[in-house]
């Protein structure tokens, strides 16, 4: 993990180098590699690929096999996040890297300030982990309710409870099924 990122233009280069290193240890691609007869497209959204894999292998909708495979993919998602951004709550560089990846500018100079801004930042973690170009900002949502609506509509759920989730990931996890109405929530106008 990058522990210090300077403000002199080196941050972007360090993120590029780091992301290139992470790409060689891709837990999501490793999940799909377990099925050599499946022609996995790493550029395609991995949840779409998972659904295609399930159809190809005939996993029944409510079967134990599908549930087990979904858990295995979810574990790979969490491990991929950890590989990209770290787990440690005491690593300022990890917090800053996460802030940069989300597009927060200026990047806070303390863990406390990073944590504070990330607590009110709402991103879909499936999109965040999958995005093909780490240089591009990830879509953020005004509040937890808007993120919830997007996540439910697109079915892009990130595992909320996973033994491998570190402090950084837990900072970004939101309650999708019962979103808070605070932090900028405005009740939709009734028609």
């Amino acid at each position: 993990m990058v522990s210090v990122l300077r403000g002199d233009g080196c941050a972007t280069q360090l993120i590029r180098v780091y992301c290139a290193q992470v790409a060689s240890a891709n837990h999501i691609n490793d999940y799909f590699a377990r099925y050599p007869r499946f022609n996995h497209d790493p550029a395609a959204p991995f949840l779409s690929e998972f659904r295609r894999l399930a159809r190809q292998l005939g996993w029944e909708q409510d079967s134990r096999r599908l549930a087990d495979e979904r858990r295995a993919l979810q574990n790979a998602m969490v491990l991929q996040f950890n590989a990209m951004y770290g787990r440690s709550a005491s690593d300022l560089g990890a917090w800053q890297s996460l802030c940069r990846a989300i597009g927060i500018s200026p990047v806070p100079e303390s863990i406390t300030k990073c944590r504070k801004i990330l607590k009110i930042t709402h991103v879909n973690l499936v999109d965040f982990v999958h995005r093909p170009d780490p240089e591009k900002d990830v879509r953020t949502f005004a509040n937890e309710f808007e993120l919830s609506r997007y996540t439910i509509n697109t079915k892009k759920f990130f595992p909320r409870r996973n033994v491998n989730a570190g402090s950084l990931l837990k900072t970004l996890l939101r309650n999708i099924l019962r979103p808070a109405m605070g932090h900028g929530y405005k009740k939709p106008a009734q028609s």
Side-chain angles (χ1 to χ4, degrees):
M1 173 49 74
V2 176
S3 59
V4 177
L5 296 176
R6 301 188 317 241
D8 60 0
C10 292
T12 301
Q13 182 61 28
L14 288 173
I15 289 171
R16 262 192 219 116
V17 169
Y18 181 67
C19 288
Q21 291 170 344
V22 168
S24 65
N26 191 312
H27 297 280
I28 294 169
N29 289 343
D30 290 348
Y31 168 81
F32 289 107
R34 296 174 18 191
Y35 301 96
R37 291 191 172 161
F38 178 69
N39 187 17
H40 170 56
D41 177 3
F46 59 83
L47 288 181
S48 297
E49 285 293 276
F50 178 76
R51 291 181 193 109
R52 193 168 66 85
L53 173 67
R55 280 191 307 274
Q56 183 175 318
L57 297 181
W59 298 336
E60 301 281 329
Q61 181 59 32
D62 293 321
S63 69
R64 180 170 178 94
R65 176 67 189 264
L66 182 62
D68 290 345
E69 292 296 333
R70 187 172 284 124
R71 272 190 297 279
L73 178 64
Q74 290 172 344
N75 195 49
M77 292 162 61
V78 170
L79 291 173
Q80 187 63 33
F81 180 94
N82 292 344
M84 293 170 77
Y85 303 104
R87 299 176 45 117
S88 175
S90 62
D91 184 350
L92 174 59
W95 286 98
Q96 289 176 325
S97 176
L98 186 55
C99 286
R100 273 188 189 84
I102 290 176
I104 295 169
S105 181
V107 173
E109 295 186 18
S110 74
I111 291 173
T112 302
K113 289 178 181 176
C114 288
R115 187 187 310 254
K116 187 175 180 179
I117 197 159
L118 289 170
K119 279 280 191 196
I120 60 169
T121 301
H122 306 287
V123 298
N124 180 277
L125 290 168
V126 172
D127 290 344
F128 185 61
V129 168
H130 176 263
R131 66 196 170 135
D133 183 357
E135 297 284 322
K136 287 190 174 181
D137 290 344
V138 68
R139 178 179 177 186
T140 58
F141 296 85
N143 54 55
E144 193 172 82
F145 180 79
E146 294 297 322
L147 171 62
S148 170
R149 190 165 58 187
Y150 171 82
T151 301
I152 291 168
N153 287 341
T154 60
K155 298 181 178 157
K156 292 181 178 179
F157 290 89
F158 201 88
R160 188 160 171 76
R161 291 178 182 83
N162 186 290
V163 70
N164 294 306
S167 301
L168 293 175
L169 175 57
K170 288 178 182 176
T171 301
L172 291 174
L173 289 172
R174 301 291 180 261
N175 191 348
I176 298 301
L177 297 179
R178 292 195 178 112
M181 297 302 178
H183 300 296
Y185 171 75
K186 290 184 174 105
K187 189 174 180 179
Q190 293 183 347
S191 45

